[in-house]
């Protein structure tokens, strides 16, 4: 066999396999180039998921005509000159292969203007420049791609469906929107504006744009700095989660990364307050000296190598923990009087008695020691609790329960702030989140059935959804029927005619949207898990809301069912209840 050198165009087609892994990767490379060119406005447009058309236009520094030609050549880059430059790299690109490879496997129109009066527009097909004409727009660059992979039909076949390609592009754009706050983005999909960041101010606004289902109140800022590292961003409260990691966005020096250890560190930061199978929404920025990371290890650059990984993960965890603690939704602080009195005494003895005032002041709030007295999980039941429940409390319960079980029973006391049921139990004073509790019960009930009851809508109505969502409804109709939804489908019109019986009509559309989000994972994740998630969504949307008034009877019924189903004893969803132990109260009141 003779060894031959491969012709250049074959080499480039092979290289295209690494760069063009889908329409999203083309969008990614082009937008990164625009960011590297200091743009403050980037417009992204796709048609048919990007398979038919992709455009990325920016107002960056642009290129002079000779440079525009050069940019199409393999391994041409303006970003590094020698290998040491990699050490201090602060741009996205450096391989100089994106434009040339994309050009090699598409029909491209590349227009750019730099500082000179006139720029140039090149018509390129399969890497060959077919024509050139002057370009007079203001400075900046525009790249249009038609028929991606048209000349490598085998590879074009590997592109996914229009809906999936389009969704992956949208997710890519979301990440840019979240991480480049000083750049405005306009994203148009099949002639519809999906995102326009103009008018947003800051990360919170952008997070709300990308995740309209979140409310501002659910977002917590975080910031932490250590040696050569800075962490910032936003998180959701531990009670506001989803069932997959799709909402966790981690950026290292502006680059989106998908690195298990980082996501794990983020989740660890939540500690106990984040229950198994629940994941927060997060936009997490990790900033390091460029010399502390190596981004050159992953072809799609979704992972980075850290000089001191343990320190990075630890700092992320700490940052999250501090942010969560500040909100303090899961612990209450009790002044430990005994302790503080003792310390005060010691101080007094040390001083000469003349500085009484001083010590009094010092023994104030600063002397408090705080103690964690509550547990989101209910398991830590103590046999020898000093708390004795009145006998009459047991009247309503069957006679057959054992002494031990009795201790677990609870007595309804009232409702606080229209959202927390108060009760007493063997362990102390119980506060129960009425929504979480109801949700949990509905979920258990739903799980006992295979098909959910459906309820016909008196007034069916048309759903105005973006294309991708509509496609999902078409393809997942069977599953949605099982859940109790029904639609009339004609062409691309979708009319909702029935919804799950449990579900209040006013939350039907919102619920459907969340379900579609979950259904996208079908086929990727274990079927049972997906079904579980779907049921959890319906349960959540059907449960009584915070602020819904429950009468005593309803509240009692809720508590009883929680108790019967043993859900208070071992919840594994988000926390349902909190307990304040009597000995903690006694200590507080110096009894
Ligand atoms: P890399 O980004 O790795 O340098 P590319 O093939 O993506 O390689 O781009 C090659 C070169 O073309 C870049 O180094 C840059 O000089 C120029 N370039 C590409 N896109 C733009 C743009 N949007 N604005 C200005 N210059 C660009
Ligand atoms: Mg590039």
């Amino acid at each position: 066999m003779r060894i031959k050198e491969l012709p250049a165009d074959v080499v480039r087609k092979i290289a295209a396999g690494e760069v063009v892994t889908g329409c999203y990767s083309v969008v990614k490379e082009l937008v990164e180039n625009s960011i590297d060119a200091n743009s403050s406005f980037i417009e992204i447009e796709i048609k048919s998921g990007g398979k038919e058309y992709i455009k990325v236009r920016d107002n960056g520094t642009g290129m002079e005509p000779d440079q525009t030609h050069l940019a199409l050549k393999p391994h041409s880059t303006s970003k590094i000159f020698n290998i040491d430059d990699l050490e201090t790299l602060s741009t996205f690109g450096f391989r100089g292969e994106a434009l040339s490879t994309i050009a090699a496997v598409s029909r491209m129109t590349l227009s750019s203007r730099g500082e000179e009066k006139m720029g140039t527009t090149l018509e390129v097909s399969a890497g060959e420049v077919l024509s050139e004409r002057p370009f007079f727009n203001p400075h900046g660059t525009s790249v249009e791609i038609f028929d991606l992979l048209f000349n490598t039909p085998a590879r074009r076949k590997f592109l996914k469906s229009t809906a999936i390609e389009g969704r992956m592009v949208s997710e890519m754009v979301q990440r840019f929107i979240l991480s480049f706050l000083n750049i405005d983005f306009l994203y148009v999909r099949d002639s519809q504006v999906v995102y326009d960041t103009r008018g947003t101010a800051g990360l919170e606004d952008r997070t709300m744009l990308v995740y309209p289902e979140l409310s501002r109140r659910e977002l917590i800022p975080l910031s932490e700095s250590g040696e050569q590292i800075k962490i910032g961003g936003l998180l959701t409260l531990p009670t506001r989660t989803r069932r997959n990691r799709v909402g966790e966005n981690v950026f290292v020096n502006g680059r989106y990364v998908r690195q298990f250890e980082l996501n794990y560190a983020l989740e660890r930061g939540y500690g106990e307050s984040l229950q198994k199978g629940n994941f927060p929404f997060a936009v997490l920025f990790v900033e390091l000296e460029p010399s502390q990371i190596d981004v050159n290890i992953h072809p799609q650059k979704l992972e980075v190598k850290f000089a001191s990984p343990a320190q990075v993960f630890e700092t992320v965890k700490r940052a999250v923990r501090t942010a969560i603690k500040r909100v303090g939704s899961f612990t209450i602080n009790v002044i430990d009087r005994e302790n503080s009195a003792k310390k005060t005494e010691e101080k007094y003895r040390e001083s000469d008695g003349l500085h009484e005032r001083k010590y009094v002041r010092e023994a104030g709030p600063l002397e408090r020691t705080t103690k964690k007295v509550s547990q989101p999980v209910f398991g830590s039941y103590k046999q020898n609790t000093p708390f004795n429940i009145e006998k009459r409390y047991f009247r309503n319960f069957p006679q057959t329960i054992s002494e031990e079980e009795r201790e677990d029973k609870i007595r309804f006391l009232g409702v606080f702030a229209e959202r927390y049921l108060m009760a007493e139990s063997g362990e102390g004073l119980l506060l129960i989140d009425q929504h979480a509790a109801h949700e949990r019960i509905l979920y258990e009930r739903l799980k006992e059935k295979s098909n959910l009851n459906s309820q016909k809508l008196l007034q069916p109505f048309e759903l105005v959804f973006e294309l991708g969502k509509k496609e999902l409804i078409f393809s997942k109709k069977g599953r949605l029927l099982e859940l109790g939804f029904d639609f009339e489908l004609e062409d691309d019109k979708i009319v909702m005619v029935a919804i799950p019986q449990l579900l209040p009509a006013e939350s039907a559309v919102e619920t459907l949207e969340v379900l579609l989000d979950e259904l996208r994972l079908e086929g990727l994740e274990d079927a049972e898990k997906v079904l579980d998630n779907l049921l959890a969504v319906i349960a959540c949307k059907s449960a009584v809301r915070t602020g819904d008034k429950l009468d005593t009877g309803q509240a009692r019924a809720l508590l009883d069912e929680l108790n019967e189903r043993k859900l208070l004893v071992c919840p594994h969803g988000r926390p349902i209840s909190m307990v304040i132990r009597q000995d903690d109260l006694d200590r507080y009141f110096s009894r």
Side-chain angles (χ1 to χ4, degrees):
M1 219 188 292
R2 278 176 53 94
I3 298 177
K4 284 172 288 202
E5 228 180 296
L6 289 172
D9 67 313
V10 176
V11 172
R12 275 204 270 172
K13 279 185 183 173
I14 293 173
E18 256 194 44
V19 175
V20 185
T21 49
C23 300
Y24 76 95
S25 68
V26 172
V27 171
K28 173 172 182 277
E29 292 293 341
L30 297 180
V31 172
E32 288 183 349
N33 279 346
S34 297
I35 295 173
D36 284 347
N38 284 326
S39 309
S40 62
F41 180 65
I42 301 174
E43 186 187 326
I44 302 149
E45 180 174 355
I46 61 166
K47 291 198 169 119
S48 303
K51 292 201 272 192
E52 196 184 301
Y53 179 72
I54 296 172
K55 177 173 86 180
V56 174
R57 189 170 70 103
D58 67 50
N59 65 354
T61 49
M63 291 173 275
E64 307 310 340
D66 59 323
Q67 300 281 302
T68 312
H69 279 275
L70 209 55
L72 289 171
K73 297 256 184 316
H75 308 296
S76 55
T77 178
S78 55
K79 298 167 195 175
I80 60 171
F81 296 100
N82 58 50
I83 196 69
D84 295 335
D85 290 347
L86 273 182
E87 287 280 305
T88 52
L89 191 73
S90 62
T91 54
F92 275 115
F94 60 85
R95 291 163 187 253
E97 61 187 8
L99 267 187
S100 64
T101 20
I102 295 168
V105 293
S106 69
R107 288 185 249 272
M108 177 190 280
T109 305
L110 171 62
S111 309
S112 196
R113 182 179 152 191
E115 309 212 312
E116 280 168 30
K117 269 205 218 89
M118 194 181 77
T120 189
T121 293
L122 304 178
E123 297 286 346
V124 190
S125 179
E128 298 304 317
V129 178
L130 301 182
S131 72
E132 175 166 16
R133 58 176 191 269
F135 177 69
F136 292 107
N137 279 23
H139 68 85
T141 304
S142 161
V143 186
E144 288 173 285
I145 315 277
F146 306 86
D147 305 319
L148 186 66
L149 300 175
F150 80 98
N151 55 342
T152 52
R155 210 160 255 152
R156 187 168 166 92
K157 267 201 293 218
F158 280 103
L159 288 179
K160 302 192 176 65
S161 71
T162 300
I164 294 183
E165 289 289 338
R167 192 185 81 225
M168 289 167 85
V169 172
S170 302
E171 283 172 359
M172 184 62 70
V173 173
Q174 291 179 347
R175 290 169 201 145
F176 284 121
I177 290 178
L178 290 174
S179 56
F180 288 91
L181 303 178
N182 48 1
I183 300 177
D184 270 318
F185 294 90
L186 173 66
Y187 173 48
V188 179
R189 186 172 164 187
D190 296 311
S191 311
Q192 284 188 320
V193 174
V194 181
Y195 297 122
D196 184 350
T197 65
R198 287 171 294 185
T200 59
L203 181 59
E204 210 177 86
D205 279 3
R206 292 207 171 184
T207 306
M208 304 287 296
L209 187 72
V210 170
Y211 301 114
E213 66 268 43
L214 296 179
S215 73
R216 267 169 224 281
R217 278 182 27 227
E218 294 168 324
L219 299 173
I220 329 170
L222 89 168
S223 80
E224 180 91 25
S225 48
E227 235 176 281
Q228 294 182 308
I229 181 169
K230 257 165 83 182
I231 314 268
L234 280 178
L235 302 167
T236 45
L237 290 170
T239 45
R240 186 62 167 97
T241 53
R242 55 200 276 172
R243 302 294 171 125
N244 53 50
R245 292 199 166 89
V246 180
E248 297 182 7
N249 302 278
V250 185
F251 302 93
V252 176
N253 288 6
R255 259 174 225 276
Y256 174 78
V257 295
R258 201 148 252 284
Q259 195 153 341
F260 175 74
E261 296 97 319
L262 281 170
N263 295 69
Y264 188 64
L266 160 71
E267 290 152 23
R268 285 292 300 276
Y270 278 85
E272 287 294 297
S273 63
L274 191 68
Q275 304 296 309
K276 225 177 146 210
N278 288 341
F279 303 96
F281 290 80
V283 185
L284 189 76
F285 300 115
V286 180
E287 304 283 339
L288 288 155
E289 298 279 316
S291 63
Q292 293 294 298
I293 55 177
D294 177 3
V295 290
N296 197 13
I297 56 160
H298 194 285
Q300 279 299 319
K301 298 177 219 149
L302 279 179
E303 286 192 358
V304 290
K305 217 159 73 186
F306 297 109
S308 24
Q311 192 223 344
V312 174
F313 304 143
E314 196 48 44
T315 315
V316 167
K317 197 175 95 183
R318 198 174 60 232
V320 174
R321 184 147 294 177
T322 315
I324 305 277
K325 268 216 190 122
R326 220 178 15 241
V327 194
S329 43
F330 294 97
T331 56
I332 57 164
N333 295 328
V334 169
I335 304 166
D336 189 342
R337 289 222 180 181
E338 227 171 85
N339 241 327
S340 94
K342 225 162 78 202
K343 282 205 185 127
T344 305
E345 221 174 88
E346 275 163 20
K347 269 225 157 112
Y348 185 58
R349 262 190 258 120
E350 274 168 27
S351 70
D352 56 13
L354 292 170
H355 296 97
E356 195 167 342
R357 275 195 133 149
K358 183 169 156 251
Y359 98 72
V360 169
R361 200 178 64 238
E362 277 179 8
L366 289 175
E367 286 289 309
R368 285 177 188 181
T369 52
T370 57
K371 191 166 179 287
K372 197 175 173 212
V373 295
S374 63
Q375 294 279 327
V377 181
F378 236 80
S380 61
Y381 174 72
K382 269 205 207 116
Q383 284 293 321
N384 56 356
T385 164
F387 198 52
N388 277 321
I389 308 166
E390 292 171 68
K391 278 273 182 308
R392 64 185 161 88
Y393 151 57
F394 292 117
R395 260 198 313 222
N396 300 335
F397 294 99
Q399 293 303 303
T400 51
I401 56 171
S402 70
E403 200 61 37
E404 237 171 65
E405 275 178 295
R406 261 181 212 171
E407 292 278 275
D408 285 339
K409 297 302 175 195
I410 45 182
R411 185 171 72 96
F412 177 60
L413 297 174
V415 183
F416 172 65
E418 296 182 348
R419 71 181 70 158
Y420 299 110
L421 308 183
M422 298 191 301
E424 64 177 83
S425 79
E427 238 193 321
L429 177 63
L430 263 179
L431 296 172
I432 295 157
D433 177 333
Q434 69 176 36
H435 170 74
H438 192 207
E439 172 182 354
R440 177 76 201 192
I441 287 174
L442 292 179
Y443 169 74
E444 295 295 325
R445 284 195 210 149
L446 290 176
K447 270 184 76 153
E448 289 163 5
K449 299 188 176 178
S450 51
N451 270 335
L452 305 196
N453 293 339
S454 179
Q455 159 197 354
K456 283 235 172 309
L457 286 174
L458 287 176
Q459 282 177 316
F461 59 94
E462 190 186 341
L463 293 171
V464 260
F465 279 174
E466 55 153 326
L467 206 65
K469 280 202 184 118
K470 285 187 179 172
E471 278 160 354
L472 258 177
I473 295 184
F474 276 94
S475 60
K476 304 282 182 189
K477 193 180 171 202
R479 184 58 121 177
L480 291 166
L481 273 176
E482 283 170 25
L483 294 172
F485 286 94
D486 198 6
F487 310 93
E488 269 162 19
L489 309 178
E490 37 184 289
D491 302 325
D492 61 348
K493 218 172 117 177
I494 299 183
V495 177
M496 181 136 90
V497 294
I499 61 172
Q501 199 176 38
L502 267 179
L503 199 64
E506 66 271 16
S507 16
V509 174
E510 188 198 341
T511 309
L512 180 63
E513 292 201 83
V514 185
L515 289 174
L516 292 175
D517 212 22
E518 292 290 338
L519 277 169
R520 293 186 337 196
L521 294 173
E522 216 172 30
L524 297 176
E525 273 189 50
D526 176 46
E528 185 155 350
K529 194 166 159 229
V530 173
L531 179 65
D532 257 16
N533 291 348
L534 296 173
L535 297 180
V537 171
I538 295 185
C540 171
K541 301 292 181 188
S542 309
V544 290
R545 301 263 119 213
T546 304
D548 282 355
K549 284 208 176 71
L550 294 187
D551 61 35
T552 314
Q554 289 169 319
R556 270 186 220 278
L558 194 62
L559 285 177
D560 283 349
E561 189 161 352
L562 271 180
N563 220 4
E564 251 159 55
R565 290 178 182 268
K566 294 265 175 274
L567 295 179
L568 275 182
V569 191
C570 58
H572 25 68
R574 69 177 221 208
I576 290 177
S577 56
M578 172 203 236
V579 66
I580 303 174
R581 292 210 312 269
Q582 195 199 359
D583 45 353
D584 284 315
L585 285 175
D586 286 349
R587 192 166 38 245
Y588 180 83
F589 292 107
S590 305
R591 287 176 67 96

